[in-house]
Amino acid sequence: MSETSTTYDRVLAGHLGFLTEDQQQRFAAFKDNLASARLYQPPSPSTVQPSHDDATLLRFLRARRFEADKAQKQFTTTEDWRRQQDIERLYATFPADEFERAKRFYPRWTGRRDKHGVPVYVFRLASLTGPIQKELNAVPVERRYQRIVALWEFMSRFTLPLCTALPHSHDEKTPISTVTSIIDLESVSLGTMWSLRHHLQQASELATAHYPETLHRIAVVNAPAFFPTVWGWIKAWFDEGTRTKVMVLGRNPGEELRTFIDPHNLPKAYGGELEFAFEDEPVLDEPAREALGSEMPKGPIVFVDGKAVRPTVPEEDTMATQEKRTSKDTNRSQSGKK
């Protein structure tokens, strides 16, 4: 049994290359509205590249069921958040060693893709217990948040563009803009799940708010008997569209997983042939090695024009810097008068 092309085409509804005439019209209107609000700059002879690619804009529109006003509201909120958090600078300057350590606490790319080219991630919660959980808890809340942001940026700016450049179904018309995640609950107690709830909630809510429609499907494997209780806690963290993508499997998930992931790309622990554990570096396949070299790049990285490169540190905002300097001078002057 395998996932049919027709089934997958239904999954791709609302993606580039699979838009209905009505959706195409709504997408064009959405871009016009964003351009009028100066939230989006279309390509032009002077800029060449648009400020945002179509796949990114469509993620926001799909998240709001092609209701342009609601999509623009979420997009505006995200753009404001990116400026306030200085996301471009945060990612470009994130220390490589800390970035690599942070990967141990969140879903990790296996280095492989499913039958349609979508990257396969694994998250084994039992690996977050003991010393690892103590290390996680020792990270200040604000820095933990920044780590999550950096890893979401890595997924959206490196993993997805890389997989788009690699051979995949519909590769001429549909960029890869989502991931398949295997969530492994083997050997996880109810107490452990409860102790990790804030950690899991922070990552999930961030994705829903600012990285919408990046989940292709979530396969929960080795689900314990108490999982319905856990699902009752966490389902509110996701929007309705994401909740429908969750599939709960038992302790022998291989037969179902192999319907959409080839055995050589599926870790052995889940019924495949790939030598991969959650703690491992991505095991790149031949096309990925040809694109990247023999090893996975370390630290923050982006995939642009067929190459893995370091993100560019944005130039200082001259006006903002001048305002800060004026404020400091004023405070200093007022202090001198006291």
Side-chain angles (χ1 to χ4, degrees):
M1 183 174 66
S2 63
E3 187 177 49
T4 66
S5 177
T6 301
T7 299
Y8 189 64
D9 287 355
R10 286 199 298 269
V11 172
L12 284 176
H15 290 249
L16 287 174
F18 293 85
L19 299 177
T20 65
E21 184 175 346
D22 178 64
Q23 288 172 338
Q24 290 175 347
Q25 293 173 353
R26 289 171 182 251
F27 185 38
F30 178 55
K31 291 201 288 187
D32 287 344
N33 292 344
L34 292 181
S36 297
R38 297 186 177 181
L39 294 168
Y40 164 70
Q41 183 172 340
S44 68
S46 59
T47 60
V48 182
Q49 296 294 331
S51 60
H52 302 75
D53 60 50
D54 283 355
T56 297
L57 298 180
L58 265 176
R59 286 197 289 103
F60 284 85
L61 200 53
R62 283 200 309 276
R64 292 295 171 258
R65 299 183 179 183
F66 280 81
E67 295 186 38
D69 290 344
K70 292 181 179 180
Q72 183 168 340
K73 182 178 180 180
Q74 183 176 8
F75 186 83
T76 301
T77 299
T78 293
E79 290 296 289
D80 289 342
W81 168 79
R82 293 186 69 87
R83 283 192 296 271
Q84 292 165 4
Q85 298 292 328
D86 204 357
I87 301 301
E88 297 292 326
R89 186 176 306 279
L90 170 68
Y91 186 60
T93 60
F94 208 94
D97 57 345
E98 182 183 1
F99 183 84
E100 294 302 318
R101 291 198 306 272
K103 290 181 179 178
R104 299 174 298 161
F105 307 119
Y106 302 97
R108 305 187 68 157
W109 183 38
T110 60
R112 299 303 175 96
R113 298 163 290 138
D114 71 12
K115 292 182 178 181
H116 298 285
V118 175
V120 177
Y121 275 64
V122 167
F123 194 22
R124 185 175 185 272
L125 267 67
S127 297
L128 272 62
T129 58
I132 293 292
Q133 186 172 5
K134 290 181 180 179
E135 182 180 344
L136 173 65
N137 293 339
V139 178
V141 173
E142 181 179 4
R143 190 57 176 174
R144 193 185 305 178
Y145 182 81
Q146 292 173 338
R147 286 182 172 188
I148 301 171
V149 171
L151 291 172
W152 275 111
E153 288 291 297
F154 176 78
M155 181 202 72
S156 62
R157 298 172 64 182
F158 173 78
T159 308
L160 295 178
L162 168 64
C163 291
T164 293
L166 301 178
H168 65 276
S169 300
H170 316 297
D171 56 347
E172 293 184 357
K173 55 185 177 180
T174 310
I176 300 296
S177 59
T178 57
V179 304
T180 288
S181 292
I182 298 173
I183 309 298
D184 186 356
L185 299 183
E186 185 178 23
S187 303
V188 176
S189 67
L190 184 60
T192 297
M193 289 290 294
W194 180 256
S195 68
L196 291 171
R197 69 191 186 283
H198 294 306
H199 171 66
L200 302 174
Q201 181 177 7
Q202 189 177 49
S204 301
E205 291 182 343
L206 179 63
T208 299
H210 302 305
Y211 301 90
E213 287 290 307
T214 50
L215 290 173
H216 177 60
R217 80 176 94 216
I218 302 173
V220 179
V221 304
N222 298 316
F226 60 77
F227 182 75
T229 299
V230 174
W231 182 240
W233 304 341
I234 67 177
K235 63 182 180 181
W237 304 346
F238 306 100
D239 57 35
E240 182 181 351
T242 300
R243 290 197 294 268
T244 62
K245 299 174 184 177
V246 177
M247 54 193 305
V248 182
L249 307 178
R251 298 191 176 278
N252 295 294
E255 181 177 0
E256 183 68 27
L257 293 176
R258 288 191 297 270
T259 64
F260 55 88
I261 304 174
D262 286 321
H264 63 276
N265 290 323
L266 178 64
K268 282 187 174 181
Y270 311 119
E273 302 167 358
L274 181 66
E275 294 284 356
F276 175 86
F278 173 66
E279 295 79 9
D280 293 343
E281 289 297 307
V283 182
L284 302 176
D285 60 11
E286 184 59 32
R289 287 196 298 271
E290 290 179 2
L292 300 175
S294 59
E295 294 184 0
M296 182 79 173
K298 302 293 185 183
I301 202 81
V302 296
F303 194 81
V304 181
D305 297 330
K307 296 181 180 179
V309 297
R310 297 294 173 191
T312 303
V313 179
E315 295 181 4
E316 288 287 348
D317 185 336
T318 305
M319 183 176 295
T321 303
Q322 185 175 359
E323 289 176 354
K324 289 180 181 178
R325 186 180 300 114
T326 301
S327 177
K328 288 181 180 178
D329 290 342
T330 301
N331 292 337
R332 191 179 298 114
S333 174
Q334 291 176 345
S335 177
K337 292 178 182 179
K338 292 181 180 179

